[in-house]
Amino acid sequence: MSALIDRAGLVAALEAAVGKRVTVVSGPAGSGKTSLLRLWVEHHGQDRRIAFVSVRPGAELFWFSVLGGIRAACGGEPPCAAPDCDGREKVLAEISGVAGPFVLVVDDAHELDAAEELSALLAALPPRAHAIVATRRDLPLGLHKLRLAGELAEIRPDRLRFTVEETAALVAASGIQLPERVIAVLHARTEGWAAGLRLAVLSLAGHPDPERFVASFSGSDRTVAEYLMAELLERQPADVLRLLLRTSIVDRVSGALADLLTGATGSERILLDLAEANAFVLALDPERTWFRYHRLFAGLLNLELRRTQAAEIPRLHRLAAQWFAEHAQPADAVRHLQAAGDWAEAAALLSGQALTMTLDGEAETVRALLRAFPAPDDSLALVRAVDALGGMRLDEAAEHLETARSAGADRLAVTALDLLLARLRGHFDCVVANVDALPAAGADLRAVVLLNVGVTEAWSGRAADGERHLLAAAALARDLDRPYLEVAALAHLGFASTHRSFALARRRCEDAIALAARHGWDAEPVIAPALATLAWVLAWTGEFEDAQRRLDQARQAAEADSEPGVRLLVHVVAALLAAARGEHRAALTEFAAARESQATMADEHVLSARVAAWTAATRARAGHAPAPALLPVADEDVLTRIEGHLITALVGAEDGDERAAAAALERALDLAEPDGLVLPFAMTGAWRLLEALPAWETRHAALIATILDAVRGRVPAPSVRAPLEELSPSELRVLRYLPTNLTRPEIAGELLVSLNTVNTHIRRIYAKLGAADRGAAVRRGRELRLLSASGTLATPHRGT
């Protein structure tokens, strides 16, 4: 195996650091510090003199070694004895006499008995000299002045770790062939620790099953254990060794937890010292209150604990479980009870916490803990019901709930899960009938009930009630500091809000998505309803590319076994976008999938009737069926009324009745204007009629331009820059006429105001929108969605 691989990026980083006065390379044993220094010398040692010194204990020997290194670098005679005067002054004199750039490399600086002499040397380096100090732990070198002056560079442990690519290069250099996924596992197990990787590669050479070896590689491997024992563990005092062994049972440890497990005090100071010494102890938070051990080091500690204190292990797990339970960390508490073999106590704790953990977004953790139990048990029926509901295994969930009920599980929790089961089965009336099912429930369960009822009402067409309950669920979740539950409520709130305004629904969806992103849930199933609803809104307003992007995100977030209402919405949006593109076959496929989702629900989804109507209309447009009869438009919601008017317009145009067609188009535009609705014109093909509609004969020139741009794929990118100052209602009315061909006097006549008033309004419009002329003002108005009859997107309408 080649001794070194070319770590070009790290070598380049070290070379860049040599521009400073002092560079500190700090990392644990075996992290590749010396190898890095040798690589750097190979690449960049030709154009400078480099003195390489490896420290051995003893101050006099140190100065002797430094003096010898300097003379060797400069071709001088090696010293025959230690300096008989002040070693530092002698070394500085030698360095000052070196012609050209000079670098002093001090390796293994942690071996110094005291760092004062090295600190004084570094502070007094001549101008053309640079020092590189490699050490396992941070030394008190007093370099703060150099740091403030920008003359100190540092390469820390995280920079020394091998990358996955460097790991692959090391394996390949050894003549070993491993798949990429196995190399990724090896990198994860070693955490990029250079010595661990080299030891693994040595063991891999000639191994009959390399993949199995990598899968089981740990700190208990003989070569790793011997290295860590010799380089680290055997050097620790008794109190530190006791702490390391007894805390190795936990994945992360704090000072207080370590005190409990060791029966001593002062553990936090020991952990901090170990972290600062790069002793395979890593701080997990900026405040450095929580720590973990390197994976290979933890494996060695576990091995030593089993070897030396096996009888103590169950008691240590029970102590850890007690501590985690008292500090509201139930998952860790359950794990340690399981490790102690206390299965009944672990089952009781998990049963009491499973629903709460799920509300915190820990459904996968609950599932993993459940799998760790040795055999099915009625005491876990409630947990199994929670897990089955999360996986949409509804019949299984019902069975577990009956078992939990019979076994005397918490009645309120069972009732809350009953409501969730009814919602997922589409028993909408059943859920709504139980709004007050849990009057005595705690706040967590009340929030769950409000969420279930609100979602059910939104899916079943009782949007106003759904909006009210979802707002209440989100507020309660916020008060309880349950962000996952809050996201769940807000994700459904967007759809419930479409009955009032697409703009409001859009804003609420975007707020939910932003909140989910802050917690790392922006690709999780919990946010799929908001993504799908946002795609729905964007499709209706003609922002087809953005709608498709959000739809793709919704598909990725929504699992195959996700809630039927979400699946139905995703398929409907996909169908509408396909129909807008004229892809009738694809639209029919998606509508069929939507009907399949409806078939899994006991009651009818609010979109089901529309799916049937859209399917018939799409079949007709595809030439598979006669056109459906016109829908009555008087009592339908605004979306259906628009479609009805557009069908009337199309029929009138086909019959040659241009006046009737224009009148129907105008009525459709009147209804579409407040929210800037584009999709009905695209789906029905009525947009073609708009091309022949004279701009001066309609009050909707801006909307018509938006529709035509959207259909032709020329929608301008929306701007986020707000106007310098809000336009007044009078200015908005004038702005609405600017996209038309009307002159200023004609606009004045339409508005029944003077020409001077119109001119004044236009000057103010230009100033507020930052526009230089009429065309620029129109473009800016479109970007800001100001060119509607009301001047706002918040005009209520009777939508879904």
Side-chain angles (χ1 to χ4, degrees):
M1 181 178 70
S2 173
L4 300 174
I5 67 165
D6 189 3
R7 306 187 69 188
L10 191 54
V11 171
L14 181 55
E15 171 63 13
V18 174
K20 310 287 186 180
R21 179 69 64 85
V22 176
T23 297
V24 175
V25 181
S26 176
S31 59
K33 300 181 295 297
T34 302
S35 298
L36 170 62
L37 295 175
R38 289 175 179 168
L39 279 170
W40 173 76
V41 171
E42 284 183 15
H43 284 77
H44 302 284
Q46 296 78 14
D47 55 352
R48 51 171 66 93
R49 295 186 183 276
I50 301 174
F52 202 102
V53 179
S54 292
V55 174
R56 297 292 178 267
E60 290 187 0
L61 184 59
F62 170 68
W63 292 121
F64 179 76
S65 299
V66 173
L67 194 59
I70 296 170
R71 291 185 178 177
C74 299
E77 292 294 326
C80 56
D84 54 5
C85 59
D86 183 16
R88 177 171 60 87
E89 295 300 325
K90 182 67 173 175
V91 165
L92 287 172
E94 292 272 352
I95 294 175
S96 297
V98 177
F102 174 78
V103 180
L104 173 63
V105 178
V106 182
D107 196 13
D108 292 328
H110 54 274
E111 294 287 4
L112 283 170
D113 293 333
E116 291 83 0
E117 291 295 323
L118 177 58
S119 177
L121 172 62
L122 297 177
L125 281 175
R128 289 183 299 177
H130 179 89
I132 301 175
V133 179
T135 176
R136 289 186 182 179
R137 63 177 182 273
D138 291 340
L139 299 173
L141 297 176
L143 301 177
H144 54 281
K145 291 183 179 179
L146 287 176
R147 182 178 286 111
L148 289 173
E151 289 296 324
L152 175 66
E154 298 175 271
I155 296 179
R156 311 294 297 179
D158 56 344
R159 189 67 181 83
L160 290 170
R161 295 188 189 105
F162 272 56
T163 65
V164 175
E165 292 75 20
E166 289 170 336
T167 301
L170 179 63
V171 171
S174 307
I176 300 169
Q177 299 296 321
L178 289 178
E180 289 185 6
R181 58 179 176 77
V182 179
I183 288 174
V185 172
L186 178 61
H187 179 264
R189 286 187 170 274
T190 60
E191 298 188 50
W193 177 45
L197 284 168
R198 293 187 181 280
L199 291 171
V201 167
L202 286 170
S203 299
L204 276 167
H207 195 283
D209 191 347
E211 293 192 24
R212 183 172 60 82
F213 172 82
V214 170
S216 61
F217 186 65
S218 70
S220 60
D221 180 85
R222 181 181 58 80
T223 58
V224 176
E226 288 176 354
Y227 183 94
L228 290 174
M229 288 290 291
E231 293 293 331
L232 184 62
L233 212 56
E234 290 177 349
R235 301 186 179 196
Q236 303 303 327
D239 60 333
V240 175
L241 183 59
R242 176 182 172 84
L243 180 147
L244 289 171
L245 293 179
R246 294 172 78 87
T247 58
S248 68
I249 65 160
V250 295
D251 294 330
R252 66 192 193 286
V253 64
S254 66
L257 177 55
D259 284 346
L260 176 66
L261 295 175
T262 59
T265 58
S267 299
E268 185 172 62
R269 183 68 262 167
I270 294 175
L271 290 166
L272 283 168
D273 289 344
L274 289 168
E276 290 172 357
N278 292 322
F280 296 93
V281 178
L282 310 173
L284 294 176
D285 57 326
E287 295 78 19
R288 299 199 299 173
T289 57
W290 282 94
F291 305 85
R292 75 166 179 89
Y293 303 141
H294 187 286
R295 288 182 178 85
L296 294 181
F297 187 44
L300 171 63
L301 295 175
N302 287 157
L303 176 66
E304 280 298 293
L305 181 65
R306 293 195 303 272
R307 188 178 67 83
T308 60
Q309 303 177 45
E312 280 289 288
I313 294 177
R315 188 180 73 86
L316 291 173
H317 280 298
R318 293 187 185 102
L319 285 173
Q322 174 189 342
W323 192 93
F324 282 119
E326 291 173 351
H327 289 79
Q329 299 179 54
D332 288 300
V334 172
R335 285 192 193 97
H336 286 288
L337 287 172
Q338 291 174 330
D342 295 344
W343 299 107
E345 191 173 347
L349 179 58
L350 184 57
S351 294
Q353 296 292 328
L355 181 55
T356 298
M357 290 170 64
T358 302
L359 298 181
D360 287 337
E362 297 185 70
E364 287 300 322
T365 301
V366 171
R367 183 169 296 120
L369 293 172
L370 185 58
R371 284 198 298 261
F373 283 90
D377 189 319
D378 286 356
S379 64
L380 288 166
L382 193 67
V383 184
R384 297 185 189 282
V386 170
D387 178 56
L389 287 167
M392 286 297 295
R393 303 187 305 276
L394 303 186
D395 291 341
E396 180 185 331
E399 293 176 6
H400 290 313
L401 283 173
E402 283 306 313
T403 302
R405 214 183 322 268
S406 301
D410 183 272
R411 180 181 60 82
L412 295 175
V414 171
T415 304
L417 294 176
D418 280 335
L419 290 180
L420 176 56
L421 175 62
R423 164 190 148 193
L424 296 178
R425 279 179 161 172
H427 282 294
F428 299 147
D429 291 338
C430 172
V431 176
V432 174
N434 286 278
V435 174
D436 301 320
L438 298 178
D444 280 352
L445 293 183
R446 284 204 310 276
V448 173
V449 171
L450 288 167
L451 170 64
N452 286 327
V453 171
V455 172
T456 295
E457 289 167 332
W459 286 153
S460 59
R462 288 162 273 202
D465 290 334
E467 182 183 14
R468 176 167 53 86
H469 285 123
L470 288 168
L471 282 169
L476 184 53
R478 196 176 307 116
D479 292 341
L480 294 170
D481 194 24
R482 299 279 190 206
Y484 192 85
L485 182 58
E486 182 184 0
V487 168
L490 294 177
H492 285 280
L493 181 61
F495 187 80
S497 304
T498 55
H499 78 289
R500 287 212 285 135
S501 162
F502 276 149
L504 177 63
R506 178 176 186 161
R507 189 181 77 240
R508 285 175 167 173
C509 287
E510 290 171 342
D511 288 346
I513 293 166
L515 179 59
R518 286 201 293 274
H519 292 279
W521 302 322
D522 47 333
E524 297 292 320
V526 69
I527 201 59
L531 291 166
T533 301
L534 183 54
W536 163 268
V537 170
L538 292 169
W540 281 102
T541 54
E543 298 165 75
F544 298 137
E545 289 187 9
D546 285 343
Q548 186 64 56
R549 180 171 59 87
R550 291 301 189 180
L551 177 63
D552 292 341
Q553 292 173 346
R555 284 192 190 276
Q556 292 173 3
E559 299 171 341
D561 56 357
S562 63
E563 184 172 354
V566 176
R567 294 203 310 271
L568 189 148
L569 179 58
V570 165
H571 289 307
V572 167
V573 176
L576 296 181
L577 288 173
R581 295 190 295 265
E583 299 170 0
H584 302 306
R585 180 175 297 179
L588 289 171
T589 299
E590 293 290 351
F591 282 137
R595 292 197 302 276
E596 289 177 7
S597 295
Q598 171 62 80
T600 67
M601 292 182 265
D603 296 325
E604 188 168 284
H605 192 282
V606 65
L607 294 179
S608 293
R610 285 190 181 170
V611 169
W614 282 327
T615 299
T618 304
R619 286 179 61 82
R621 289 169 195 140
H624 300 320
L630 295 183
L631 295 173
V633 298
D635 298 321
E636 297 292 337
D637 60 44
V638 68
L639 302 179
T640 305
R641 291 166 66 196
I642 292 172
E643 290 184 51
H645 289 310
L646 292 177
I647 292 172
T648 300
L650 289 166
V651 171
E654 187 175 344
D655 293 342
D657 190 346
E658 294 183 4
R659 183 183 297 274
L665 272 179
E666 194 70 20
R667 288 193 292 272
L669 289 166
D670 285 338
L671 293 171
E673 183 77 48
D675 272 338
L677 302 181
V678 170
L679 183 62
F681 299 87
M683 283 184 64
T684 61
W687 62 272
R688 294 183 178 86
L689 302 180
L690 299 177
E691 294 178 309
L693 194 66
W696 57 87
E697 292 184 6
T698 177
R699 295 179 294 110
H700 305 290
L703 177 57
I704 290 172
T706 299
I707 293 168
L708 295 177
D709 281 346
V711 173
R712 295 164 179 163
R714 297 201 308 266
V715 180
S719 171
V720 296
R721 182 170 57 88
L724 302 177
E725 183 182 345
E726 186 175 353
L727 271 64
S728 70
S730 298
E731 291 161 355
L732 284 169
R733 283 193 293 272
V734 172
L735 174 64
R736 183 165 55 86
Y737 282 92
L738 296 188
T740 70
N741 292 330
L742 296 179
T743 64
R744 293 190 182 192
E746 288 171 335
I747 293 173
E750 287 285 325
L751 293 175
L752 301 177
V753 297
S754 69
L755 175 59
N756 183 57
T757 298
V758 170
N759 288 335
T760 299
H761 286 328
I762 289 178
R763 284 197 301 272
R764 289 175 179 170
I765 289 169
Y766 288 179
K768 291 181 179 181
L769 297 184
D773 54 32
R774 184 167 177 167
V778 170
R779 288 192 297 273
R780 185 78 179 112
R782 285 178 182 164
E783 291 173 358
L784 293 169
R785 308 296 297 276
L786 296 175
L787 288 171
S788 66
S790 62
T792 175
L793 279 178
T795 303
H797 74 269
R798 290 168 53 213
T800 60

